[in-house]
Amino acid sequence: MTDATRETIVQLLSHMRDGKEVRDYLNRFARLDQSRFAVVKVGGAVIRDDIDGLASALAFLQTVGLSPIVVHGGGPQLDTALSDAGIATDRVDGLRVTPEKAIPVIRQALSAANIAIVDAIRACGGQAASVPTGVFMAECLDESVYGRVGEPSGVSLGLVEAAVRGGEIPVLACLGETGDGKLVNINADHAVAALVKALQPYKVIFLTETGGLLDDKGEIISTLNLASDRDRLMSADWITGGMRVKIDQIQALLDDLPLTSSVSITSPGALTQELFTHAGAGTLVRRGERLLTIARRADLDWDRLESLITESFGRPPVAGYRDTVAFERLFVTENYRAAALLTRLDDVAYLDKFAVLEEARGEGLARAVWQALVDHAPQLYWRSKTANPVNSFYFQECDGAAKTGQWTVFWRGETDLGRVPALVQRVAALPETLGRAV
Ligand code: ARG
């Protein structure tokens, strides 16, 4: 694929109905160090039933300059190979008990699945590297119970990073080696967890045939914010044991990742839409943040609030800000990534600061903070500099606005319209609360 072709495809995509969205996601993903873009886990059933869909989705990502890292299982393939070889396998605690004589069969079957994926990607014009072993270091779990089943004890990223540097999609099988050189079978979800911990990717993607987590009506749950949705979901009467395990696994993955990372469960055919649109196609799971309402000055972490303000406006609050501001309430996410500081101008509620970290935009946090604010203060005034990009949001949310010098003053919920002009003058004349650019 030449750069020109790539550029043409990106251009075409950008002009689709959701073109701006697509372009923004492309830019966001392309800015990442590509070995940290995405870890994609593919189950054995997808390899068996939809390998062409899988390969074309992966090759497409490569075409637009992105480099996913693929980890695959091979449950059905192993079942067939082992039964053909006359080796019976049992499961204990969901893990496949692996007698030593099964290892050559497993190695053979997983390598075949691995090469099939690589070949399929190449057939779609993509470049891929087969990495069946050499990544996962492992320890035998308990050889007397499980046989040759290993838990990852470390990850060597050399082969993975070399493939990415060379413009190839690394395709990893879940085989590990113990310190004394024994080959062991690793559960694919455990392998993914170890790799994710080592790479700290922006996305972790599970490609399944169902294409997402299903609710009680069998419909795909579009988003899951663990901080706010987990308890309700886990205690629902329809949730299955398998789904609980899956959610616990995803929670554990996200707990090891930055808050900006997310997990998507989707299908090969829906992957592009999932990645490049806001609405996605599949289930997006985030760790999420709880929203706090702080009513007492002393409960507020002023240092964190000031650094949030400084980072999101590029300017720090003026000296003495925290001591003079007429504090009323702070609506803030638990990690201080988005906040609204409500103050009081005599008998009027005044929004003094609404700050959201750049990296946290698009997570729905600003919306949640805003909602808590206006629920608490239905009658509200605020102001912003005329060039502030947030103004289009403010214009949607306000009942009215007036431009006065460098300020636009907004209000909503005002019942006594007669006092608006005086309040607008008053708000516009408030002293500057941000200092010099940092
Ligand atoms: N494209 C974004 C992402 O990959 C958002 C996906 C939203 N997906 C969803 N199922 N709601 O992070």
PDB file of all heavy atoms in Angstrom, residues 350-363:
ATOM      1  N   TYR A 350     -23.903  30.984  40.734  1.00  0.00           N
ATOM      2  CA  TYR A 350     -22.970  31.376  39.683  1.00  0.00           C
ATOM      3  C   TYR A 350     -21.956  30.250  39.475  1.00  0.00           C
ATOM      4  O   TYR A 350     -21.303  29.801  40.429  1.00  0.00           O
ATOM      5  CB  TYR A 350     -22.273  32.679  40.099  1.00  0.00           C
ATOM      6  CG  TYR A 350     -21.234  33.136  39.105  1.00  0.00           C
ATOM      7  CD1 TYR A 350     -21.605  33.524  37.820  1.00  0.00           C
ATOM      8  CD2 TYR A 350     -19.888  33.156  39.451  1.00  0.00           C
ATOM      9  CE1 TYR A 350     -20.647  33.927  36.895  1.00  0.00           C
ATOM     10  CE2 TYR A 350     -18.927  33.563  38.534  1.00  0.00           C
ATOM     11  CZ  TYR A 350     -19.314  33.940  37.255  1.00  0.00           C
ATOM     12  OH  TYR A 350     -18.375  34.331  36.351  1.00  0.00           O
ATOM     13  N   LEU A 351     -21.858  29.812  38.236  1.00  0.00           N
ATOM     14  CA  LEU A 351     -20.887  28.764  37.906  1.00  0.00           C
ATOM     15  C   LEU A 351     -19.540  29.445  37.676  1.00  0.00           C
ATOM     16  O   LEU A 351     -19.345  30.132  36.677  1.00  0.00           O
ATOM     17  CB  LEU A 351     -21.340  28.024  36.641  1.00  0.00           C
ATOM     18  CG  LEU A 351     -20.305  27.079  36.014  1.00  0.00           C
ATOM     19  CD1 LEU A 351     -19.964  25.927  36.954  1.00  0.00           C
ATOM     20  CD2 LEU A 351     -20.821  26.534  34.682  1.00  0.00           C
ATOM     21  N   ASP A 352     -18.624  29.254  38.607  1.00  0.00           N
ATOM     22  CA  ASP A 352     -17.353  29.969  38.512  1.00  0.00           C
ATOM     23  C   ASP A 352     -16.366  29.259  37.580  1.00  0.00           C
ATOM     24  O   ASP A 352     -15.596  29.908  36.879  1.00  0.00           O
ATOM     25  CB  ASP A 352     -16.749  30.107  39.911  1.00  0.00           C
ATOM     26  CG  ASP A 352     -15.645  31.143  39.954  1.00  0.00           C
ATOM     27  OD1 ASP A 352     -15.961  32.320  40.189  1.00  0.00           O
ATOM     28  OD2 ASP A 352     -14.475  30.776  39.713  1.00  0.00           O
ATOM     29  N   LYS A 353     -16.378  27.922  37.603  1.00  0.00           N
ATOM     30  CA  LYS A 353     -15.453  27.181  36.733  1.00  0.00           C
ATOM     31  C   LYS A 353     -16.110  25.890  36.262  1.00  0.00           C
ATOM     32  O   LYS A 353     -16.736  25.185  37.054  1.00  0.00           O
ATOM     33  CB  LYS A 353     -14.189  26.773  37.505  1.00  0.00           C
ATOM     34  CG  LYS A 353     -13.250  27.906  37.822  1.00  0.00           C
ATOM     35  CD  LYS A 353     -12.441  28.316  36.608  1.00  0.00           C
ATOM     36  CE  LYS A 353     -11.744  29.634  36.862  1.00  0.00           C
ATOM     37  NZ  LYS A 353     -12.717  30.745  37.021  1.00  0.00           N
ATOM     38  N   PHE A 354     -15.912  25.604  34.979  1.00  0.00           N
ATOM     39  CA  PHE A 354     -16.317  24.313  34.440  1.00  0.00           C
ATOM     40  C   PHE A 354     -15.102  23.806  33.683  1.00  0.00           C
ATOM     41  O   PHE A 354     -14.726  24.387  32.665  1.00  0.00           O
ATOM     42  CB  PHE A 354     -17.532  24.500  33.522  1.00  0.00           C
ATOM     43  CG  PHE A 354     -18.065  23.206  32.938  1.00  0.00           C
ATOM     44  CD1 PHE A 354     -18.326  22.105  33.744  1.00  0.00           C
ATOM     45  CD2 PHE A 354     -18.313  23.100  31.573  1.00  0.00           C
ATOM     46  CE1 PHE A 354     -18.825  20.921  33.203  1.00  0.00           C
ATOM     47  CE2 PHE A 354     -18.817  21.922  31.023  1.00  0.00           C
ATOM     48  CZ  PHE A 354     -19.071  20.841  31.846  1.00  0.00           C
ATOM     49  N   ALA A 355     -14.438  22.814  34.229  1.00  0.00           N
ATOM     50  CA  ALA A 355     -13.148  22.401  33.672  1.00  0.00           C
ATOM     51  C   ALA A 355     -13.141  20.904  33.385  1.00  0.00           C
ATOM     52  O   ALA A 355     -13.593  20.106  34.205  1.00  0.00           O
ATOM     53  CB  ALA A 355     -12.031  22.740  34.667  1.00  0.00           C
ATOM     54  N   VAL A 356     -12.639  20.542  32.212  1.00  0.00           N
ATOM     55  CA  VAL A 356     -12.560  19.132  31.822  1.00  0.00           C
ATOM     56  C   VAL A 356     -11.186  18.908  31.192  1.00  0.00           C
ATOM     57  O   VAL A 356     -10.778  19.666  30.308  1.00  0.00           O
ATOM     58  CB  VAL A 356     -13.652  18.789  30.779  1.00  0.00           C
ATOM     59  CG1 VAL A 356     -13.611  17.304  30.443  1.00  0.00           C
ATOM     60  CG2 VAL A 356     -15.022  19.192  31.272  1.00  0.00           C
ATOM     61  N   LEU A 357     -10.483  17.906  31.654  1.00  0.00           N
ATOM     62  CA  LEU A 357      -9.175  17.608  31.056  1.00  0.00           C
ATOM     63  C   LEU A 357      -9.348  17.205  29.600  1.00  0.00           C
ATOM     64  O   LEU A 357     -10.276  16.471  29.256  1.00  0.00           O
ATOM     65  CB  LEU A 357      -8.507  16.438  31.779  1.00  0.00           C
ATOM     66  CG  LEU A 357      -7.876  16.679  33.137  1.00  0.00           C
ATOM     67  CD1 LEU A 357      -7.086  15.447  33.537  1.00  0.00           C
ATOM     68  CD2 LEU A 357      -6.978  17.899  33.105  1.00  0.00           C
ATOM     69  N   GLU A 358      -8.437  17.661  28.772  1.00  0.00           N
ATOM     70  CA  GLU A 358      -8.456  17.317  27.344  1.00  0.00           C
ATOM     71  C   GLU A 358      -8.553  15.794  27.149  1.00  0.00           C
ATOM     72  O   GLU A 358      -9.365  15.298  26.384  1.00  0.00           O
ATOM     73  CB  GLU A 358      -7.170  17.874  26.712  1.00  0.00           C
ATOM     74  CG  GLU A 358      -6.839  17.357  25.318  1.00  0.00           C
ATOM     75  CD  GLU A 358      -7.700  17.986  24.237  1.00  0.00           C
ATOM     76  OE1 GLU A 358      -8.032  19.179  24.396  1.00  0.00           O
ATOM     77  OE2 GLU A 358      -8.041  17.281  23.273  1.00  0.00           O
ATOM     78  N   GLU A 359      -7.711  15.045  27.864  1.00  0.00           N
ATOM     79  CA  GLU A 359      -7.680  13.579  27.681  1.00  0.00           C
ATOM     80  C   GLU A 359      -8.991  12.914  28.104  1.00  0.00           C
ATOM     81  O   GLU A 359      -9.258  11.787  27.729  1.00  0.00           O
ATOM     82  CB  GLU A 359      -6.540  12.965  28.489  1.00  0.00           C
ATOM     83  CG  GLU A 359      -6.649  13.303  29.976  1.00  0.00           C
ATOM     84  CD  GLU A 359      -6.202  12.190  30.920  1.00  0.00           C
ATOM     85  OE1 GLU A 359      -5.034  11.831  30.855  1.00  0.00           O
ATOM     86  OE2 GLU A 359      -7.047  11.717  31.715  1.00  0.00           O
ATOM     87  N   ALA A 360      -9.807  13.623  28.902  1.00  0.00           N
ATOM     88  CA  ALA A 360     -11.049  13.015  29.402  1.00  0.00           C
ATOM     89  C   ALA A 360     -12.244  13.392  28.545  1.00  0.00           C
ATOM     90  O   ALA A 360     -13.352  12.975  28.814  1.00  0.00           O
ATOM     91  CB  ALA A 360     -11.286  13.431  30.846  1.00  0.00           C
ATOM     92  N   ARG A 361     -12.016  14.166  27.485  1.00  0.00           N
ATOM     93  CA  ARG A 361     -13.161  14.577  26.660  1.00  0.00           C
ATOM     94  C   ARG A 361     -13.653  13.385  25.851  1.00  0.00           C
ATOM     95  O   ARG A 361     -12.879  12.552  25.448  1.00  0.00           O
ATOM     96  CB  ARG A 361     -12.774  15.764  25.770  1.00  0.00           C
ATOM     97  CG  ARG A 361     -12.529  16.967  26.679  1.00  0.00           C
ATOM     98  CD  ARG A 361     -12.114  18.252  26.022  1.00  0.00           C
ATOM     99  NE  ARG A 361     -11.638  19.120  27.118  1.00  0.00           N
ATOM    100  CZ  ARG A 361     -10.934  20.229  26.979  1.00  0.00           C
ATOM    101  NH1 ARG A 361     -10.627  20.663  25.783  1.00  0.00           N
ATOM    102  NH2 ARG A 361     -10.553  20.907  28.037  1.00  0.00           N
ATOM    103  N   GLY A 362     -14.948  13.312  25.670  1.00  0.00           N
ATOM    104  CA  GLY A 362     -15.491  12.175  24.915  1.00  0.00           C
ATOM    105  C   GLY A 362     -15.801  10.981  25.797  1.00  0.00           C
ATOM    106  O   GLY A 362     -16.205   9.938  25.314  1.00  0.00           O
ATOM    107  N   GLU A 363     -15.627  11.103  27.118  1.00  0.00           N
ATOM    108  CA  GLU A 363     -15.966   9.989  28.000  1.00  0.00           C
ATOM    109  C   GLU A 363     -17.322  10.185  28.655  1.00  0.00           C
ATOM    110  O   GLU A 363     -17.742   9.385  29.475  1.00  0.00           O
ATOM    111  CB  GLU A 363     -14.905   9.821  29.095  1.00  0.00           C
ATOM    112  CG  GLU A 363     -13.567   9.363  28.556  1.00  0.00           C
ATOM    113  CD  GLU A 363     -12.518   9.210  29.647  1.00  0.00           C
ATOM    114  OE1 GLU A 363     -12.876   8.973  30.812  1.00  0.00           O
ATOM    115  OE2 GLU A 363     -11.333   9.350  29.313  1.00  0.00           O
TER     116      GLU A 363
END
